[in-house]
């Protein structure tokens, strides 16, 4: 859904509930369910940008991953450009970011204890860089939405996913405080690399890498 439609609906009292009931807009979790239904079950997954873990819970429930790595620095950004972001102007400071990290740790205490979920506090590029290449079945990108950050996330995700693996993410649309940076980065990325499948729907992008090339015969 376009950012503009959400902005209008949120500005009118009662309009959000009515729009949801009429199916004019969908909640983020409903609009992303189709994505989860297409992802491999029981695989290795990373979510870049966790916030409070709402989508992480959906990933766990619907795809039952063998491993889910939750990557987020939970760092308060004070630069002016982050004024409208969840981790800038919409947070009260670093104490709130630390509290969000602690809430996520508590929320997933059981799967963390069982080794299914791993919290990786840090920048996406640094954290993913520590994994072997071709480690993940799929990666969901929903971290820093500025163009340079999304481009870097896409490139590291390309290296760290398996052949036929999926690179997916949120907020593929124009506008937002990030000025369409996600859309621009994804549009350039799909031209730079070959993909077996490209799905752009409901603000989500799903890019399936090409399968491994067959071994050459001598
Ligand atoms: C839109 S929220 C994520 C929402 C979450 N995926 C969900 O759907 O429930 C964006 C998150 O990205 C995180 N973030 C910011 N910079 C990041 C970076 N360099 N690497 C990873 N995460 C980052 C922020 O701290 C914030 O929690």
């Amino acid at each position: 859904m376009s950012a503009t439609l959400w902005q209008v609906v949120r500005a009118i009292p009662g309009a959000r509930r009515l729009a949801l009931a009429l199916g004019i807009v969908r909640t983020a979790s409903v609009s992303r369910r189709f994505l989860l239904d297409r992802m491999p079950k029981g695989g290795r997954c990373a979510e870049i940008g966790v916030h409070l873990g709402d989508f992480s819970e959906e990933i766990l429930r619907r795809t039952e991953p063998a491993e889910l790595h939750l990557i987020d620095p939970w760092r308060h950004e004070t630069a002016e450009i982050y004024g409208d972001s969840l981790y800038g102007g919409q947070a009260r400071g670093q104490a709130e970011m630390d509290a969000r990290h602690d809430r996520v740790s508590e929320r997933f205490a059981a799967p963390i204890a069982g080794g299914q979920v791993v919290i990786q506090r840090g920048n996406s590029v640094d954290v993913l860089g520590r994994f072997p290449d071709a480690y993940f079945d799929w990666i969901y990108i929903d971290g820093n939405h500025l163009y340079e950050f999304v481009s870097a996330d896409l490139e590291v995700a390309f290296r760290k996913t398996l052949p036929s693996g999926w690179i997916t993410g949120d907020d593929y649309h124009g506008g937002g405080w990030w000025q369409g940076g996600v859309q621009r980065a994804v549009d350039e990325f799909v031209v730079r690399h070959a993909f077996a499948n490209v799905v752009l729907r409901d603000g989500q992008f799903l890019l399936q890498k090409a399968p491994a090339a067959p071994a050459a015969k001598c």
Side-chain angles (χ1 to χ4, degrees):
M1 170 205 337
S2 75
T4 321
L5 182 54
W6 256 123
Q7 279 158 6
V8 171
V9 166
R10 278 176 19 195
I12 305 168
R16 183 174 180 274
R17 192 173 306 158
L18 183 63
L20 285 168
L22 295 174
I24 298 165
V25 297
R26 282 177 283 178
T27 60
S29 62
V30 170
S31 68
R32 293 190 282 187
R33 222 163 264 168
F34 85 92
L35 179 152
L36 294 177
D37 290 342
R38 294 189 68 154
M39 290 303 110
K41 303 275 181 292
R44 285 174 174 161
C45 171
E47 182 185 16
I48 296 177
V50 177
H51 186 47
L52 299 175
D54 289 352
F55 194 56
S56 324
E57 193 163 307
E58 291 277 316
I59 292 173
L60 274 178
R61 195 179 13 241
R62 296 187 86 88
T63 72
E64 298 169 6
E67 289 176 28
L68 175 59
H69 296 267
L70 301 180
I71 305 171
D72 198 310
W74 285 284
R75 181 184 55 243
H76 186 239
E77 299 288 357
T78 53
E80 202 178 333
I81 185 117
Y82 296 105
D84 284 334
S85 81
L86 286 172
Y87 47 98
Q90 291 190 35
R92 280 185 300 276
Q94 188 55 47
E96 181 173 336
M97 300 306 288
D98 292 340
R100 289 180 191 174
H101 163 268
D102 295 349
R103 270 175 71 183
V104 172
S105 302
E106 280 165 31
R107 183 173 186 170
F108 298 106
I112 289 171
Q116 183 189 23
V117 169
V118 183
I119 293 197
Q120 308 271 8
R121 191 169 187 176
N123 292 331
S124 45
V125 170
D126 299 337
V127 173
L128 280 182
R130 295 197 284 266
F131 285 88
D133 287 353
Y135 185 84
F136 291 98
D137 293 278
W138 67 286
I139 294 177
Y140 188 74
I141 300 175
D142 193 15
N144 188 320
H145 284 21
L146 292 175
Y147 167 78
E148 292 77 10
F149 286 82
V150 184
S151 292
D153 284 346
L154 289 165
E155 287 301 337
V156 71
F158 192 84
R159 288 200 307 281
K160 301 300 170 182
T161 40
L162 286 156
S164 299
W166 290 87
I167 298 161
T168 65
D170 196 19
D171 289 318
Y172 177 87
H173 54 68
W177 64 262
W178 55 92
Q179 298 170 353
V182 177
Q183 189 171 43
R184 195 174 131 217
V186 170
D187 288 350
E188 291 177 7
F189 181 66
V190 295
V191 175
R192 275 199 302 278
H193 298 283
F195 290 99
N197 268 305
V198 174
V199 181
L200 305 170
R201 185 179 137 192
D202 292 342
Q204 307 299 295
F205 59 90
L206 291 68
L207 315 174
Q208 186 177 28
K209 287 172 65 174
K217 291 187 185 139
C218 4

